[in-house]
Amino acid sequence: MILKIINSLLILTAVFMGIKQGTAMWMDKPEITAMFGKWGFSKTALMINGAITMVAAVLILFPKTFIWGNFLMAAGILLIICFQLQDRDFKGALIEIPFLLLNLLIIYLQHPLKQ
């Protein structure tokens, strides 16, 4: 019971973070645009990435799409880590690792409403 409550809080945290980051990409926030711009992302590509991030966050909420949502979110985080490592930005890559581990932990704990 306690584990389901903790997992529910972790899921809500991941969903909040996904929607927050997705919205920042979609709304073309300057710091996000600068980060992705140096990797060659156009405004359209950034908006698409933001939309995918927000959809992934919503998918996490439902048991039937839980794995797909986590997979998409983890793939997006891994993409950012790879670009940062390519730029030799180890600090930036290290900052992203807890978010990747959060998605992996949520997958391991499974959806709290799964039957």
Coordinates of all heavy atoms in Angstrom, one line a residue, residues 1-38:
M1 N 0.8 -1.2 0.0 CA 0.0 0.0 0.0 C 0.9 1.3 0.0 O 0.6 2.2 -0.8 CB -0.9 0.0 1.2 CG -1.8 1.1 1.3 SD -3.0 1.2 0.0 CE -3.9 2.6 0.5
I2 N 1.9 1.3 0.9 CA 2.8 2.5 1.0 C 3.5 2.6 -0.3 O 3.7 3.7 -0.8 CB 3.7 2.3 2.2 CG1 3.0 2.3 3.5 CG2 4.8 3.4 2.1 CD1 2.4 3.6 3.9
L3 N 4.0 1.4 -0.9 CA 4.7 1.4 -2.1 C 3.9 2.0 -3.3 O 4.4 2.8 -4.1 CB 5.2 0.0 -2.5 CG 6.3 -0.1 -3.5 CD1 7.5 0.7 -3.0 CD2 6.7 -1.5 -3.7
K4 N 2.6 1.7 -3.3 CA 1.7 2.3 -4.3 C 1.6 3.8 -4.2 O 1.5 4.5 -5.2 CB 0.3 1.6 -4.3 CG 0.4 0.2 -4.9 CD -1.0 -0.4 -5.0 CE -0.9 -1.7 -5.7 NZ -2.2 -2.2 -6.2
I5 N 1.5 4.2 -3.0 CA 1.4 5.7 -2.8 C 2.7 6.4 -3.2 O 2.6 7.4 -3.9 CB 1.1 6.0 -1.3 CG1 -0.3 5.5 -0.9 CG2 1.2 7.5 -1.0 CD1 -0.6 5.5 0.5
I6 N 3.8 5.8 -2.8 CA 5.1 6.4 -3.3 C 5.2 6.4 -4.8 O 5.6 7.4 -5.4 CB 6.3 5.6 -2.6 CG1 6.3 5.9 -1.1 CG2 7.6 6.0 -3.2 CD1 7.3 5.0 -0.3
N7 N 4.9 5.3 -5.4 CA 4.9 5.2 -6.8 C 4.0 6.2 -7.5 O 4.3 6.8 -8.5 CB 4.6 3.8 -7.3 CG 4.9 3.5 -8.8 OD1 5.8 4.2 -9.3 ND2 4.2 2.6 -9.4
S8 N 2.8 6.4 -6.9 CA 1.8 7.3 -7.5 C 2.4 8.7 -7.4 O 2.3 9.5 -8.4 CB 0.5 7.3 -6.7 OG -0.1 6.1 -6.8
L9 N 3.1 9.1 -6.3 CA 3.8 10.4 -6.2 C 4.9 10.5 -7.2 O 5.1 11.6 -7.8 CB 4.3 10.6 -4.8 CG 3.2 10.7 -3.7 CD1 3.9 10.8 -2.3 CD2 2.4 12.0 -4.0
L10 N 5.7 9.4 -7.4 CA 6.7 9.5 -8.4 C 6.2 9.7 -9.8 O 6.7 10.4 -10.7 CB 7.6 8.2 -8.4 CG 8.4 8.0 -7.1 CD1 9.1 6.6 -7.1 CD2 9.5 9.1 -7.0
I11 N 5.0 9.0 -10.1 CA 4.4 9.1 -11.4 C 3.9 10.6 -11.6 O 4.1 11.2 -12.7 CB 3.2 8.1 -11.6 CG1 3.8 6.7 -11.7 CG2 2.3 8.5 -12.7 CD1 2.7 5.6 -11.7
L12 N 3.3 11.1 -10.6 CA 2.8 12.5 -10.7 C 4.0 13.5 -10.9 O 3.9 14.5 -11.6 CB 2.0 12.9 -9.5 CG 0.6 12.2 -9.4 CD1 -0.1 12.6 -8.0 CD2 -0.3 12.6 -10.6
T13 N 5.1 13.2 -10.3 CA 6.3 14.0 -10.4 C 6.8 14.0 -11.9 O 7.1 15.0 -12.5 CB 7.4 13.6 -9.5 OG1 6.9 13.7 -8.1 CG2 8.7 14.4 -9.7
A14 N 6.9 12.7 -12.4 CA 7.3 12.6 -13.8 C 6.4 13.2 -14.8 O 6.8 13.9 -15.8 CB 7.4 11.1 -14.1
V15 N 5.1 13.1 -14.5 CA 4.1 13.7 -15.4 C 4.2 15.3 -15.4 O 4.2 15.9 -16.4 CB 2.6 13.3 -15.0 CG1 1.6 14.1 -15.7 CG2 2.5 11.8 -15.4
F16 N 4.3 15.8 -14.2 CA 4.5 17.3 -14.0 C 5.7 17.7 -14.7 O 5.7 18.7 -15.5 CB 4.6 17.6 -12.5 CG 4.9 19.1 -12.3 CD1 4.0 20.1 -12.5 CD2 6.2 19.4 -11.9 CE1 4.3 21.4 -12.3 CE2 6.6 20.7 -11.7 CZ 5.6 21.7 -11.9
M17 N 6.9 17.0 -14.5 CA 8.1 17.4 -15.2 C 8.0 17.3 -16.7 O 8.5 18.2 -17.5 CB 9.3 16.6 -14.7 CG 9.6 16.7 -13.2 SD 10.2 18.3 -12.8 CE 11.8 18.3 -13.5
G18 N 7.3 16.3 -17.2 CA 7.2 16.1 -18.6 C 6.3 17.2 -19.3 O 6.7 17.7 -20.3
I19 N 5.2 17.5 -18.6 CA 4.4 18.6 -19.1 C 5.1 20.0 -19.0 O 5.0 20.8 -20.0 CB 3.0 18.6 -18.4 CG1 2.2 17.4 -18.8 CG2 2.2 19.9 -18.7 CD1 0.9 17.2 -18.1
K20 N 5.8 20.2 -18.0 CA 6.6 21.4 -17.8 C 7.6 21.6 -18.9 O 7.7 22.6 -19.5 CB 7.2 21.5 -16.4 CG 8.0 22.7 -16.1 CD 8.6 22.7 -14.8 CE 9.6 23.8 -14.6 NZ 10.5 23.6 -13.5
Q21 N 8.4 20.5 -19.1 CA 9.5 20.6 -20.1 C 8.9 20.6 -21.5 O 9.3 21.3 -22.4 CB 10.4 19.4 -20.0 CG 11.4 19.6 -18.8 CD 12.2 20.8 -18.9 OE1 11.9 21.8 -18.1 NE2 13.2 20.9 -19.7
G22 N 7.8 19.8 -21.8 CA 7.2 19.8 -23.1 C 6.6 21.2 -23.4 O 6.7 21.7 -24.5
T23 N 6.0 21.8 -22.4 CA 5.4 23.2 -22.6 C 6.5 24.2 -22.9 O 6.3 25.0 -23.8 CB 4.6 23.6 -21.4 OG1 3.6 22.7 -21.1 CG2 4.0 25.0 -21.6
A24 N 7.6 24.1 -22.2 CA 8.7 25.0 -22.5 C 9.3 24.8 -23.9 O 9.6 25.8 -24.6 CB 9.9 24.7 -21.5
M25 N 9.3 23.6 -24.4 CA 9.7 23.4 -25.8 C 8.7 23.9 -26.7 O 9.0 24.5 -27.7 CB 9.9 21.9 -26.0 CG 11.2 21.3 -25.4 SD 11.3 19.6 -25.8 CE 11.5 18.8 -24.2
W26 N 7.4 23.6 -26.5 CA 6.3 24.0 -27.3 C 6.2 25.6 -27.4 O 6.0 26.1 -28.5 CB 5.0 23.5 -26.8 CG 3.8 23.8 -27.7 CD1 3.0 24.8 -27.5 CD2 3.4 23.2 -28.9 NE1 2.0 24.8 -28.4 CE2 2.2 23.8 -29.3 CE3 3.8 22.0 -29.6 CZ2 1.6 23.4 -30.4 CZ3 3.2 21.7 -30.7 CH2 2.0 22.4 -31.1
M27 N 6.4 26.2 -26.3 CA 6.3 27.7 -26.2 C 7.6 28.4 -26.6 O 7.6 29.6 -26.6 CB 5.9 28.1 -24.8 CG 4.6 27.5 -24.3 SD 3.2 28.0 -25.4 CE 2.7 29.5 -24.6
D28 N 8.6 27.7 -27.0 CA 9.8 28.2 -27.5 C 10.5 29.1 -26.5 O 10.9 30.2 -26.8 CB 9.5 29.1 -28.8 CG 10.7 29.2 -29.7 OD1 11.6 28.3 -29.7 OD2 10.7 30.1 -30.5
K29 N 10.7 28.6 -25.2 CA 11.4 29.3 -24.2 C 12.8 29.5 -24.6 O 13.5 28.6 -25.1 CB 11.3 28.5 -22.9 CG 9.9 28.3 -22.3 CD 9.4 29.6 -21.7 CE 8.0 29.3 -21.1 NZ 7.4 30.4 -20.5
P30 N 13.4 30.7 -24.3 CA 14.8 31.0 -24.8 C 15.8 30.0 -24.4 O 16.7 29.6 -25.2 CB 15.0 32.4 -24.2 CG 13.7 33.0 -24.0 CD 12.8 31.8 -23.7
E31 N 15.8 29.6 -23.1 CA 16.9 28.7 -22.6 C 16.8 27.3 -23.3 O 17.8 26.7 -23.6 CB 16.9 28.6 -21.1 CG 15.6 28.0 -20.5 CD 14.5 29.0 -20.2 OE1 14.7 30.2 -20.5 OE2 13.5 28.6 -19.7
I32 N 15.6 26.8 -23.5 CA 15.4 25.6 -24.2 C 15.8 25.7 -25.7 O 16.4 24.8 -26.2 CB 13.9 25.1 -24.1 CG1 13.5 24.9 -22.6 CG2 13.6 23.8 -24.9 CD1 14.2 23.7 -21.9
T33 N 15.3 26.8 -26.3 CA 15.7 27.0 -27.7 C 17.2 27.1 -27.9 O 17.7 26.5 -28.9 CB 15.0 28.4 -28.2 OG1 13.6 28.3 -28.0 CG2 15.3 28.6 -29.7
A34 N 17.9 27.7 -27.0 CA 19.3 27.8 -27.0 C 20.0 26.5 -26.9 O 20.9 26.1 -27.7 CB 19.9 28.8 -26.0
M35 N 19.5 25.7 -26.0 CA 20.1 24.3 -25.8 C 19.9 23.4 -27.0 O 20.8 22.9 -27.5 CB 19.5 23.7 -24.5 CG 20.1 22.3 -24.2 SD 19.5 21.6 -22.7 CE 17.9 21.0 -23.1
F36 N 18.7 23.4 -27.5 CA 18.4 22.5 -28.6 C 18.9 23.1 -29.9 O 19.2 22.4 -30.9 CB 16.9 22.2 -28.7 CG 16.4 21.1 -27.7 CD1 16.0 21.4 -26.5 CD2 16.4 19.8 -28.1 CE1 15.6 20.4 -25.6 CE2 16.0 18.8 -27.3 CZ 15.6 19.1 -26.0
G37 N 18.9 24.4 -30.0 CA 19.4 25.1 -31.2 C 20.9 24.7 -31.5 O 21.2 24.6 -32.7
K38 N 21.7 24.6 -30.5 CA 23.1 24.2 -30.7 C 23.2 22.8 -31.3 O 24.3 22.4 -31.8 CB 23.9 24.4 -29.5 CG 23.7 23.5 -28.3 CD 24.6 23.8 -27.1 CE 24.3 22.9 -26.0 NZ 25.0 23.2 -24.8

